Amino acid sequence: MNWRNGLGSVGRSGVALLVGLALAAITFQAGGFSAGGTASGVVTGAITGPGSLALTLRYALPLAFIAIGVVVSFRGGFFNAGAQGQFYAGGIVSLYVGLTLPTSLGGPIVAMLAILAGAVAGMVWSILPGLLRVYFNVNEVIGTLMFSFIAEYLVTYVAVGPLKSSAGAGQVAVTTSVPNAVRVTPASGIGIGVVLGVLLVGAAVWWLLRRTRFGFEIALIGRNPVMAEVQGVEIRQIGLATFAITGFTAGLGGAIEILGPLGSISSGYDPNIGLTAILVALVGVLAVGGVLVAALVFGGLTAASLYLPIATGLPSTSLVFLTGLVSFVVTAKVGWGRWSQGLAQRVRGGPRPGHRGDEVPVPSGAPPDADERQRGTPAASPGSVGTPV
Amino acid sequence: MIVLGCNDVRVDFGTTVALDGVSLSWEEAGAIHAVAGQNGAGKTTLCRVLAGLIRAERGEVIIEGTAYPATAQGRRREGVELVHQTFALPPQFTVAEALQLFRPGTARGGLFQRGRMERRWADQLEELGFTVSPKVLIRDLAPEQQQAVEITRALSSGSRVIVLDEPTAVLPPEAIAGLFDRLRALAAQGITFLVVMHKLRQVRELAGTVAVLAGGKVVLPPTAMGTIDDDEIARLIMGASSEQVVTGASAVAMGLADAPEGLTGATASGNATSVESGGLPGRDQRDTSEAAVLRVQDVSVSSVEGRRGLRSFSVEVFPGEIVGIAGVEGNGQQALVDVVVGLLAPREGRVVLGGADASGLRIAARRRLGLRYIPADRQSRAVSLSSSLWVNAMAAPVSSGYGVSGVVRRGFLSERRLRKRGEERLQRWQVRYAASDQAMRELSGGNLQRVVLAREVDDDARVIVAEQPTQGLDLGGTELVWEALRRARRQGVGVLLVSSDLDELFALSDRIVVILDGERVEELRPPYDRTMLGHAMVVGAAS
């Protein structure tokens, strides 16, 4: 990536973020809360308060895991929106393995196996809609989201069924907790191993994208799938692989969340992490470095959402509103690029699509899925993010 | 009385003039009139203007003696109905529902009465001689049945004038005779048909008069079929088109005619009817036992909407030879290219590359055998506009795995070296650029095609499929592409050249294979004769 262009897109992301925050501040002010108080509340809750930074990091880590994998799919133009479900799948399976394997094997070994099993589970949960996408042209947004819903109900099933803790916890059913020996972090959710894990996964993905034929081909597909096919790219294989990688890291995130800070799953567990991770990937301009920074920002916002109700009396859901606004602006930012391209085309006087003369030869050989994707993806088509790779 | 006609109609699409002052009139009612012309001649636009589906810049339309302004905004016109080239019926409706849509009657209090509706349309269909059940879903109908429903719908409006846009294009050959019989029977009852067709044989079989459009202009007013022969019509269809297509390419060809061409020997005279060409001297003594670099054997592909298939099509390309594929656009060229390149699996037949059966091979494997492809659709098939220049130049080598030794090892690559390799290719083809990581979309058309050449015309190439390689290029760009293909030929590469520019075909091809309706109908060798080629493209083989 040309560093100047890269800086430009990062800058635009930053601006989008600030615009989103400003809009939120105005809304809060209008709603009778102090915008200034909210702002300082966010800063205290995310950074300066006692233990705030630790909390920020704790929420940033799983986000980073997931978002790094999302980058891979999005760069290939595959809108894998089901990280939430893949996260659940990873969490459930790692919990199961963590509970089933005897700790006599050694805590760390059980933990490793459980994490691996979770990552593979996330991968499977992503590959299934991936197969539907590449072989049957089922829209991957719908497919992955459907699988997320299934996973959500599996969470409840697991919590009230097979792994239910006999101890009980009042209204909410909870599974048995994994033994302490198997936990990868204390309840704070911060462990040096997890931080290293994020950096390792980040480095691996960066290297995959920039230093392998596979990464080269992902970029080709993401930018022009028809051209990529003509060049000899195996779109199905590469597409499936991106689904696998996204699922793997999301599963990893789920495993570490369950084996780390949570230790168990409760029914109705909904951290709303999958969609936030997509946002992190987009704000991070689909670059690994950018994603790490964006994960910290959103981790900070999550941390602040716990503090805000105490500090300002804002309901904690106000942060959902805030992230919603930010996602709106960020998505619009992706659209800006597209809009300006369209404008440039109009200024150059090129023919506008959908307004052709009769009998103008239309390329008919384009595979329908490619065509479909160019027209049909939601505004945040990843292909238009960033700069030439 | 003028049954159907138009007066000085002009239609623009953006900067393209689709119809340019077209005046036509047909006076005989209860007859079948034909309009012929190449793709892009303005036939479909004419149909739409007549039916009032699109607005003209100026002019008027005459229906059964009454003149209407053609400039009215997209209002359907009474008295004339259009049967579209591709069907416009809602696929999830039953036949009766589709026919009933927007028609008065049989609905009481806003509700359809299914039984009454079905009876009504069953009668109507039967009356017209169509055997279609009104209860069947549109999407379950065969093409000829869908067309029958369309015609029924058109007639049920009470219109006495029906315009059919390429009615035979979607039909299997065995259904065409049935359609023709039906149309003749209806004409005998006083219905007037205007039929757009590009196959001369069918025009002669069906129509009483023919008019020819070329480049949005009338080159032949409605003329009784008895007074004009096929060659004359073919000449009008093709001849006019070659004038229209005589762009930079032809000018270059004509300019080059005086210049000694040395090895390539390709010359094109300005004489519009007889153009000389030739490959290497002594080409006819080529050792035919020499293995063909490309062999397409008895390939059949089914037709789908928007793309005509192939029928037992064969063509061979030998090393050091350019084989031109000529044909009116939409006669199976796309399917041929896609089958060779590996984008489309043929129903029957095989593709052999340099002696190896490539039928089951994926695109990457075919490219490793030396297959290269210069697509007609540059922006979507040939390049990735948002990717950088060097990525575009190296896309196929990296993805297919050739010409990247030392740069890509076991799937690992050095971006720096890859970029350098790409820059070498770009420089060898004198692509003008500021930095090789600038986006492809910043390049002009000719420069963009250079990048495509830099990728596709390399040292490892054995067969190059060049599809409309100079379309839209200026003189310099055209010259560059031609020179690239000639140089490839000198180096023993076989080139399959699919082009609708006859001058380009004449200037480059050692042989020209004519494709019509998915079949190979003729093979021509130099000296080429424009009339003969035009005849073959429109009518078929010279008998």
Side-chain angles (χ1 to χ4, degrees), chain A residues 1-3 5 207 209-217 219-220 222-236 341 345 348-349 352 355-367 374 383 387-389, chain B residues 13-14 18 38-45 48 306-307 329 334 338 343 362-364 367 373 377 379-384 386-388 390-392 394-396 398-401 408 411-413 415 418 437 439 441 455-456:
Chain A
M1 186 187 286
N2 182 316
W3 66 269
N5 289 341
W207 180 81
L209 291 174
R210 300 298 296 269
R211 291 284 180 267
T212 66
R213 170 187 296 168
F214 176 68
F216 185 91
E217 292 181 320
L220 277 186
R223 290 176 184 279
N224 182 348
V226 181
M227 181 265 194
E229 187 180 12
V230 170
Q231 304 307 308
V233 177
E234 290 293 342
I235 293 188
R236 286 180 171 172
Q341 273 168 28
Q345 198 161 21
R348 281 200 303 272
R352 272 171 294 156
H355 190 252
R356 346 171 142 256
D358 74 318
E359 303 181 75
V360 172
V362 178
S364 57
Q374 283 172 343
T387 46
V389 174
Chain B
F13 290 114
Q38 279 205 314
N39 273 3
K43 304 183 302 266
T44 298
T45 309
R48 292 188 183 152
R307 192 208 65 222
E329 226 168 278
Q334 184 73 61
D338 287 358
L343 285 162
R362 307 281 303 159
I363 295 174
R367 280 186 172 274
Y373 177 33
D377 186 344
Q379 308 231 323
S380 88
R381 276 196 177 189
V383 302
S384 168
S386 60
S387 301
S388 64
W390 69 265
V391 165
N392 271 285
M394 295 306 292
V398 173
S399 307
S400 298
V408 183
F412 304 140
L413 56 84
E415 197 173 288
L418 194 60
D437 64 351
R441 74 169 78 255
R455 188 181 65 220
E456 304 293 341

Side-chain angles (χ1 to χ4, degrees), chain A:
Chain A
M1 186 187 286
N2 182 316
W3 66 269
R4 202 174 296 140
N5 289 341
L7 212 62
S9 25
V10 171
R12 280 212 306 276
S13 262
V15 169
L17 200 62
L18 290 178
V19 170
L21 291 173
L23 284 175
I26 292 168
T27 316
F28 290 156
Q29 185 79 43
F33 299 95
S34 148
T38 311
S40 74
V42 167
V43 171
T44 313
I47 306 169
T48 55
S52 288
L53 272 179
L55 211 52
T56 294
L57 188 61
R58 176 253 174 279
Y59 287 111
L61 289 172
L63 274 177
F65 269 120
I66 304 173
I68 288 168
V70 167
V71 165
V72 178
S73 279
F74 279 23
R75 283 211 170 199
F78 295 95
F79 206 86
N80 187 336
Q84 179 89 17
Q86 296 144 23
F87 174 88
Y88 283 143
I92 293 170
V93 169
S94 64
L95 177 70
Y96 179 78
V97 173
L99 288 174
T100 322
L101 289 182
T103 39
S104 56
L105 285 173
I109 290 179
V110 173
M112 292 291 261
L113 290 174
I115 289 172
L116 192 67
V120 169
M123 190 164 88
V124 169
W125 214 249
S126 180
I127 283 179
L128 291 173
L131 286 167
L132 293 176
R133 167 67 175 81
V134 302
Y135 285 104
F136 303 103
N137 205 21
V138 173
N139 184 313
E140 71 271 26
V141 177
I142 305 211
T144 51
L145 281 178
M146 286 299 163
F147 269 74
S148 287
F149 289 127
I150 297 171
E152 200 174 320
Y153 288 109
L154 280 179
V155 163
T156 305
Y157 168 74
V158 166
V160 303
L163 301 178
K164 188 170 192 274
S165 161
S166 51
Q171 300 269 312
V172 184
V174 181
T175 65
T176 318
S177 292
V178 286
N180 277 335
V182 179
R183 298 279 283 269
V184 293
T185 70
S188 73
I190 299 170
I192 186 72
V194 178
V195 174
L196 285 178
V198 164
L199 294 177
L200 194 70
V201 168
V205 166
W206 179 90
W207 180 81
L208 198 67
L209 291 174
R210 300 298 296 269
R211 291 284 180 267
T212 66
R213 170 187 296 168
F214 176 68
F216 185 91
E217 292 181 320
I218 289 177
L220 277 186
I221 299 175
R223 290 176 184 279
N224 182 348
V226 181
M227 181 265 194
E229 187 180 12
V230 170
Q231 304 307 308
V233 177
E234 290 293 342
I235 293 188
R236 286 180 171 172
Q237 286 175 15
I238 304 283
L240 269 186
T242 69
F243 276 96
I245 291 170
T246 305
F248 189 90
T249 68
L252 212 54
I256 282 167
E257 188 73 3
I258 297 304
L259 299 175
L262 297 183
S264 62
I265 298 180
S266 53
S267 65
Y269 169 56
D270 182 8
N272 191 28
I273 198 171
L275 291 175
T276 311
I278 288 173
L279 207 53
V280 168
L282 291 177
V283 172
V285 294
L286 299 186
V288 173
V291 162
L292 293 178
V293 175
L296 281 172
V297 171
F298 280 84
L301 287 177
T302 311
S305 75
L306 302 178
Y307 174 76
L308 273 184
I310 308 164
T312 63
L314 271 170
S316 64
T317 46
S318 59
L319 254 288
V320 175
F321 170 73
L322 184 79
T323 34
L325 260 182
V326 172
S327 69
F328 177 79
V329 180
V330 167
T331 319
K333 181 209 80 169
V334 175
W336 297 345
R338 202 164 259 212
W339 178 79
S340 59
Q341 273 168 28
L343 189 74
Q345 198 161 21
R346 238 167 293 161
V347 171
R348 281 200 303 272
R352 272 171 294 156
H355 190 252
R356 346 171 142 256
D358 74 318
E359 303 181 75
V360 172
V362 178
S364 57
D369 58 330
D371 193 27
E372 205 60 50
R373 188 178 326 141
Q374 283 172 343
R375 281 187 285 106
T377 346
S381 166
S384 55
V385 180
T387 46
V389 174

Side-chain angles (χ1 to χ4, degrees), chain B residues 70-93:
Chain B
T71 49
Q73 175 68 46
R75 205 177 57 219
R76 291 186 67 84
R77 212 164 268 127
E78 297 288 315
V80 58
E81 286 283 338
L82 172 63
V83 175
H84 293 268
Q85 196 169 354
T86 50
F87 303 126
L89 296 169
Q92 70 279 31
F93 279 32

